[in-house]
Amino acid sequence: MTKYATRQRKALLQYLHSHADEQLTARQIGEALSGEEISASAVYRNLAALEQAGQVRRLSKSGAREIFFQYAGAEHCRDCLHLSCKKCGKTIHMDADEAERLIQSVAICDKFKIDKTDTVLYGVCGECQQGKEAQK
Amino acid sequence: MTKYATRQRKALLQYLHSHADEQLTARQIGEALSGEEISASAVYRNLAALEQAGQVRRLSKSGAREIFFQYAGAEHCRDCLHLSCKKCGKTIHMDADEAERLIQSVAICDKFKIDKTDTVLYGVCGECQQGKEAQK
DNA sequence: CTAGTTGCAAAGAGTTTGCATGGCG
DNA sequence: CGCCATGCAAACTCTTTGCAACTAG
């Protein structure tokens, strides 16, 4: 599906890559790349293609009508599971071994094979638990 | 926020309750309740209120622009984690003890406190793994 | 009665699509 | 050069909101 490395596509990929710990809306991405002159259509079309290719994951957030996107194609991201803090928004990369253990355990108990790309565990990270900070 | 038990709200709650294993769009819910005469506004307003109250969870699906809703208020649903099969769409309720073990393990390794209501693990269920069926 | 809730219709967002143009390989 | 990808703008669909009417308690 993706054959040409256009200026816009390169800029989008680079941006997603360097913001892999954030969950972004299409609009945020478009605005961030406004210097690169990329149209909304191109953003949506490329995100859709990347999602199909398993490079990007689509998420929703409590109370938000918009859909969020997050890069999931990084080398070590394919082997681990991800935690997302509801307070500060940060993404935590679970250790690969720990993820594997967790997935194995669920596979045995429930005969269920977890997909690492699609799954995100929501909750509160250590810092936010202590500080009670960053309601943002 | 929710003070009166109106006809519409009761119908909505009953419907969500009896379809807790499905992830539904607002439109699907509205159509299902068309016999009950409920307006789209009421569906959205009630879903938003229920979400805030932690009774309903909001989800997105790969490739789908719409947002999906799922009832999460059932007694035993508050103590367990949920698995969602990407092929057949079915929801599997993880055993409460197993869920607790998993959550504890993540709490220790990553200092991260998982929220049972917000989290859904995606993957493929046992039946779909064997049968390779139900692309639906 | 009184305040919460609904319906309707219009407004607002976000997302998709057709088509001509432009650019990568 | 040929085909893929982009831009633009219109079309769509989903969701929210204002306001008057309705209704549960």
Side-chain angles (χ1 to χ4, degrees):
Chain A
M1 185 138 197
T2 290
K3 298 231 173 166
Y4 294 168
T6 61
R7 172 177 55 76
Q8 294 89 333
R9 187 158 352 204
K10 279 187 280 187
L12 175 61
L13 268 171
Q14 192 204 309
Y15 184 77
L16 288 175
H17 203 248
S18 61
H19 293 259
D21 283 2
E22 292 171 56
Q23 302 175 347
L24 307 152
T25 64
R27 191 174 48 73
Q28 288 178 306
I29 296 170
E31 282 174 8
L33 295 177
S34 60
E36 308 296 328
E37 310 234 314
I38 183 170
S39 67
S41 331
V43 171
Y44 283 112
R45 283 194 265 235
N46 279 307
L47 284 174
L50 287 168
E51 187 192 358
Q52 267 210 308
Q55 300 274 98
V56 158
R57 113 180 98 235
R58 176 183 297 242
L59 314 137
S60 56
K61 281 189 183 173
S62 282
R65 48 186 154 293
E66 289 166 306
I67 289 170
F68 294 78
F69 296 91
Q70 180 171 34
Y71 186 62
E75 187 67 45
H76 75 290
C77 283
R78 285 200 296 272
D79 291 327
C80 70
L81 278 170
H82 297 86
L83 308 167
S84 177
C85 179
K86 295 196 294 176
K87 293 205 174 169
C88 66
K90 204 163 42 183
T91 294
I92 295 159
H93 302 256
M94 192 182 280
D95 178 79
D97 290 341
E98 188 194 350
E100 198 49 49
R101 236 178 296 133
L102 189 156
I103 288 171
Q104 273 306 319
S105 151
V106 174
I108 292 167
C109 292
D110 303 291
K111 316 235 176 301
F112 189 90
K113 187 178 180 194
I114 291 176
D115 183 313
K116 294 200 259 307
T117 302
D118 288 349
T119 299
V120 174
L121 299 153
Y122 292 96
V124 182
C125 73
E127 284 179 27
C128 290
Q129 282 175 59
Q130 296 189 341
K132 261 89 180 179
E133 29 125 0
Q135 295 290 342
K136 179 171 162 183
Chain B
M1 185 141 197
T2 290
K3 298 230 175 164
Y4 295 168
T6 62
R7 172 177 54 77
Q8 295 88 333
R9 186 167 302 165
K10 279 186 279 186
L12 175 61
L13 269 171
Q14 192 204 310
Y15 184 75
L16 288 174
H17 203 250
S18 60
H19 293 258
D21 283 1
E22 292 172 55
Q23 302 176 346
L24 307 152
T25 65
R27 191 173 48 72
Q28 288 178 306
I29 296 170
E31 282 174 7
L33 295 177
S34 59
E36 308 296 328
E37 309 234 316
I38 183 171
S39 67
S41 331
V43 171
Y44 282 111
R45 284 195 265 235
N46 278 306
L47 283 174
L50 287 167
E51 186 191 0
Q52 267 210 309
Q55 299 274 98
V56 157
R57 113 181 97 234
R58 177 182 298 241
L59 315 136
S60 57
K61 282 189 185 174
S62 282
R65 48 189 152 292
E66 289 166 306
I67 288 170
F68 295 78
F69 295 92
Q70 180 171 35
Y71 186 63
E75 187 66 45
H76 75 291
C77 283
R78 285 200 296 272
D79 292 327
C80 70
L81 279 170
H82 297 86
L83 308 168
S84 177
C85 178
K86 295 195 294 174
K87 292 205 175 171
C88 66
K90 206 163 41 183
T91 294
I92 294 158
H93 302 256
M94 192 182 278
D95 179 78
D97 290 342
E98 187 194 351
E100 197 49 49
R101 236 177 295 135
L102 187 156
I103 288 170
Q104 273 307 318
S105 152
V106 174
I108 292 167
C109 293
D110 303 291
K111 317 235 175 301
F112 189 91
K113 187 178 181 194
I114 291 176
D115 182 314
K116 294 200 260 301
T117 301
D118 288 348
T119 299
V120 174
L121 300 153
Y122 293 96
V124 182
C125 73
E127 285 179 28
C128 289
Q129 282 175 60
Q130 297 191 339
K132 262 89 181 179
E133 31 127 357
Q135 294 291 341
K136 180 170 168 185

